[in-house]
Amino acid sequence: MKFIETRGNDGINPLETTFSEAILSPIASFGGLYVPKELPDLGEPFLTKHLGSSYKELASDLLATLDIDIEPSVIAEALSLYDKFDDPSNPVPVVKVRDDLYVSELYHGPTRAFKDMALQPFGVVLSSLAQKRGKEYLILAATSGDTGPAALETFKNRPNVRVVCLYPDGGTSDVQRLQMVTEDAPNLKVIGIHGDFDDAQSALKRLLSSESFNAALRAKNIELSAANSVNFGRIIFQTIYHVHSYLELVRQNVITMGEKIYLNVPSGNFGNALGGYYATKMGLPVEKIIIASNENNVLTRLINTGRYDLRGEKVVPTTSPAMDILISSNVERILFDFFGAVRAKELMQSLESNRFYALTDDETMKIQGLFAADYCNGAEGKGYIKEAYDAGYLMDPHTATCFKAYDCCATKSLKTIVYSTAEWTKFSPTIANALTGENDINDIDALNSIAHTANISIPKVIQELFSKPVVQDTVIDKENIEAEILKFL
Ligand SMILES: *Cc1c(COP(=O)(O)O)cnc(C)c1O
C-alpha cells in the first residue's frame, strides 16, 4: 500500500510514500496528512473466510491484504499484545443491549479505554522501525486523559523510543492522572502543567516548531515523531475491529452475511469513525456511520449543515471529556476522499485562517449519503446511562452519547453497532451521579459506590493505582517545559 497526501504534493516531499515513512513522519505537504492511495476490495469472500477466525487471525490477514512494509514477525508481535486483554480469545466482545442495538466493547485493554486498540500494537511497530533505522525517537504527547496513559503503557521500556507526556494538572480524572504518574520506566517522562488541556497542547505545538528545541534534539541525534490519532499507524489498527464486530453479529445469528448495519461511533478526533469509513470502503456492508458528539458538537453541525464553523467557539468541558474537541483532525481525510486534494486543501486552509468553511449543497449531500450525526448533552447522557443500567448494562458517558444519536439517526430498522470507548472505571464520578444522584465525589469513592450498587468488582489494574507510588511528580509552569524535557533527554 502506498500513501499520498490530503493537500497535494509540494514538490519537495516524494509523490507517494510507504506506510513506515507515513508513520515516522506523519505530517505531509502543506501541513496535510497521509492517506492510502488505494484500498483493496475485501468483498464477501474475505468476510466469509473469516467467520471462524480469531481476532488476531482476522487482523493479520487484513493487514497482509493491505500490504504494508512491516515484516510479518513484527506484525505478529504487535498483534500478540491483544493477548493481554481481558479475554485473549475475544479481545473485543460484542454484546446485545437493546433489540437492534449491540455494543462493541473496545476497552478491555491495559488502560481501560479504546486508545489501547491501536496504541498497543502501534508501540511495537514504531519501536521496531526506530531500531531498524538505528535512530532514537522522541514522542511528544499532550493528553486530556486517555491518550497519555495508553501511549505510556505501550512505549514503556521499548528500545529507541522515549515519551514525554504533558497533562493539565487538575484537568484529568484521578484514575487518568494516576495511570500516568505511577508509570515507572527510564524512557518515560510525565509532566503536569499549570493550565488546561489547550495550554498543554499549544505548549507542545510551540515546542515542535521551536528552533532551539529542534537544534538541541539534533545535537542529541533524536528525531521527533507523534503518536496522536492523525498517525496512520493508529488508524490502520482501527479498521480491524469494525470488520470483527460485523462478523460477530453474523456469528451470533443476528444478521446474515451481506446484510447492512449502522455503525455508531462516539467521536472526537474522528479516528475511530475513519476506521469504520475505510472498512466500509473496503466493502463492509454499512448503511450509514452515525457520529455521536457531546456539547462540543462541531461534527454534528458539519454533517447536518455542511458548515465547519469555529468562529467565537470555545471548548466547553463536558462529562465525556475525551470528545471535548473543536478541531477534529481526521475529518480532513474524509474531505480528501470525497472531494480531492485541491478542495481539501482549500477547505482546511480556510478553517486554519478563518476558523470556518462551508461545503456546497452537493458536497453536503454526498457526506450525508454515508454519515449521520447528533449530539448528546450531559443530562441526556446520564439519562441513557441510568436507563441502560436499569436494563442490565453499565456504560460510560462517551458510549452514552451514541444512544442519543441512535434514537435520532437510525431511521431504518437495521441492526446497529455502538462502539464503547471506555470502561465505567475511567469516568466513575459521572456514572455514580447518573445512578445514585451522588454529587462531587472523588474517583475512589465513586468506584466503590458503583461497585457496591451494581454488585461488581473494580478491576485490579484500576484498584492498584490508588496504592502505587507516584514516581512522576513534575508539575511546572508552561514556560519551563522545554528545559524540563531537555533535562530528561
Ligand atoms: C479518544 C476517545 C474518543 C474519541 O475517539 P476519536 O477517534 O478521537 O474520535 C471517544 N471516547 C473515548 C473514551 C476516547 O478515549
Side-chain angles (χ1 to χ4, degrees):
M1 178 158 68
K2 288 283 193 271
F3 286 79
I4 51 176
E5 305 164 286
T6 50
R7 302 188 193 180
N9 185 260
D10 61 7
I12 303 165
N13 268 348
L15 275 174
E16 50 180 57
T17 191
T18 58
F19 175 74
S20 52
E21 281 303 330
I23 73 174
L24 285 171
S25 318
I27 297 304
S29 299
F30 309 114
L33 304 173
Y34 287 104
V35 276
K37 190 176 169 197
E38 54 205 6
L39 286 169
D41 183 6
L42 298 177
E44 218 170 284
F46 181 92
L47 296 178
T48 306
K49 176 177 156 201
H50 285 293
L51 268 177
S53 297
S54 68
Y55 192 88
K56 278 198 300 181
E57 286 162 350
L58 167 69
S60 121
D61 197 21
L62 185 54
L63 295 175
T65 308
L66 292 174
D67 191 23
I68 50 178
D69 62 330
I70 304 293
E71 285 159 39
S73 61
V74 174
I75 292 185
E77 191 196 337
L79 296 178
S80 75
L81 293 180
Y82 291 126
D83 294 341
K84 292 193 303 184
F85 281 44
D86 292 340
D87 178 358
S89 72
N90 187 13
V92 181
V94 178
V95 300
K96 179 172 179 167
V97 172
R98 283 197 209 166
D99 261 354
D100 283 344
L101 188 158
Y102 290 74
V103 175
S104 175
E105 298 178 345
L106 303 175
Y107 57 74
H108 289 277
T111 71
R112 318 313 286 169
F114 108 101
K115 301 292 189 286
D116 289 330
M117 290 305 303
L119 274 167
Q120 279 286 302
F122 176 77
V124 171
V125 172
L126 194 80
S127 166
S128 126
L129 287 175
Q131 287 171 72
K132 224 167 99 185
R133 293 179 186 218
K135 285 187 179 163
E136 284 285 322
Y137 281 84
L138 170 66
I139 306 264
L140 288 178
T143 185
S144 63
D146 285 338
T147 299
L152 296 167
E153 183 64 28
T154 195
F155 288 115
K156 125 173 117 182
N157 294 318
R158 288 208 188 281
N160 297 54
V161 181
R162 285 175 244 186
V163 180
V164 171
C165 179
L166 308 176
Y167 72 94
D169 186 42
T172 68
S173 75
D174 298 340
V175 165
Q176 290 171 324
R177 181 178 48 81
L178 290 172
Q179 283 181 320
M180 294 186 274
V181 298
T182 59
E183 279 286 19
D184 192 7
N187 66 329
L188 306 180
K189 176 77 186 171
V190 178
I191 301 177
I193 309 291
H194 297 302
D196 59 20
F197 173 63
D198 281 338
D199 293 324
Q201 177 136 7
S202 47
L204 185 144
K205 283 187 181 151
R206 265 200 310 280
L207 269 182
L208 291 177
S209 55
S210 146
E211 264 311 311
S212 63
F213 185 66
N214 280 286
L217 290 187
R218 272 194 302 277
K220 293 177 193 289
N221 251 321
I222 296 175
E223 314 258 334
L224 266 179
S225 187
N228 58 15
S229 78
V230 297
N231 195 308
F232 208 89
R234 285 178 58 180
I235 303 295
I236 201 162
F237 290 106
Q238 292 180 182
T239 57
I240 300 161
Y241 54 73
H242 293 283
V243 180
H244 160 83
S245 302
Y246 184 90
L247 291 176
E248 255 317 291
L249 291 193
V250 181
R251 281 193 280 267
Q252 294 180 20
N253 290 318
V254 173
I255 56 170
T256 54
M257 182 61 81
E259 195 173 324
K260 288 205 167 177
I261 60 166
Y262 289 112
L263 305 180
N264 188 338
V265 189
S267 294
N269 230 348
F270 215 74
N272 194 352
L274 186 74
Y277 169 73
Y278 286 136
T280 305
K281 222 183 148 190
M282 289 190 281
L284 198 70
V286 170
E287 173 72 18
K288 271 197 179 164
I289 301 173
I290 299 173
I291 303 300
S293 346
N294 61 27
E295 291 93 325
N296 297 293
N297 58 2
V298 278
L299 289 170
T300 299
R301 284 184 288 137
L302 172 67
I303 290 164
N304 291 332
T305 69
R307 294 160 73 85
Y308 205 122
D309 194 351
L310 298 181
R311 291 171 298 189
E313 295 278 325
K314 274 190 81 167
V315 174
V316 291
T318 71
T319 50
S320 43
M323 292 152 60
D324 289 352
I325 196 164
L326 290 180
I327 298 181
S328 180
S329 311
N330 278 301
V331 169
E332 177 167 350
R333 290 187 159 115
I334 299 287
L335 297 178
F336 168 82
D337 244 51
F338 276 68
F339 314 125
V342 172
R343 182 68 171 145
K345 182 179 175 201
E346 180 180 66
L347 293 169
M348 291 312 297
Q349 288 184 338
S350 168
L351 187 65
E352 279 158 15
S353 38
N354 313 323
R355 290 176 69 81
F356 172 78
Y357 65 73
L359 303 176
T360 64
D361 289 351
D362 255 18
E363 288 170 338
T364 307
M365 268 161 57
K366 267 197 193 149
I367 298 270
Q368 290 171 348
L370 186 58
F371 293 97
D374 197 12
Y375 76 99
C376 177
N377 69 33
E380 290 166 333
K382 283 180 203 162
Y384 284 109
I385 291 172
K386 178 78 166 80
E387 187 186 307
Y389 175 75
D390 289 340
Y393 191 71
L394 185 59
M395 66 183 174
D396 100 294
H398 301 79
T399 313
T401 62
C402 288
F403 282 63
K404 169 86 183 296
Y406 173 83
D407 282 342
C408 294
C409 304
T411 47
K412 294 190 186 170
S413 82
L414 299 172
K415 304 293 187 248
T416 295
I417 295 171
V418 160
Y419 288 95
S420 182
T421 47
E423 188 178 59
W424 63 274
T425 52
K426 287 203 95 167
F427 302 97
S428 55
T430 298
I431 299 172
N433 179 259
L435 300 188
T436 65
E438 293 160 278
N439 251 326
D440 290 330
I441 53 174
N442 61 26
D443 281 36
I444 188 66
D445 292 339
L447 285 165
N448 286 322
S449 157
I450 298 165
H452 177 77
T453 308
N455 195 21
I456 48 177
S457 51
I458 303 168
K460 201 159 141 254
V461 282
I462 297 291
Q463 186 81 59
E464 279 170 358
L465 289 172
F466 293 89
S467 50
K468 264 187 168 177
V470 170
V471 289
Q472 306 268 4
D473 55 3
T474 309
V475 179
I476 56 176
D477 288 328
K478 49 187 190 248
E479 291 70 34
N480 303 328
I481 296 172
E482 180 168 339
E484 191 67 35
I485 295 178
L486 291 175
K487 202 164 84 193
F488 161 67
L489 295 176

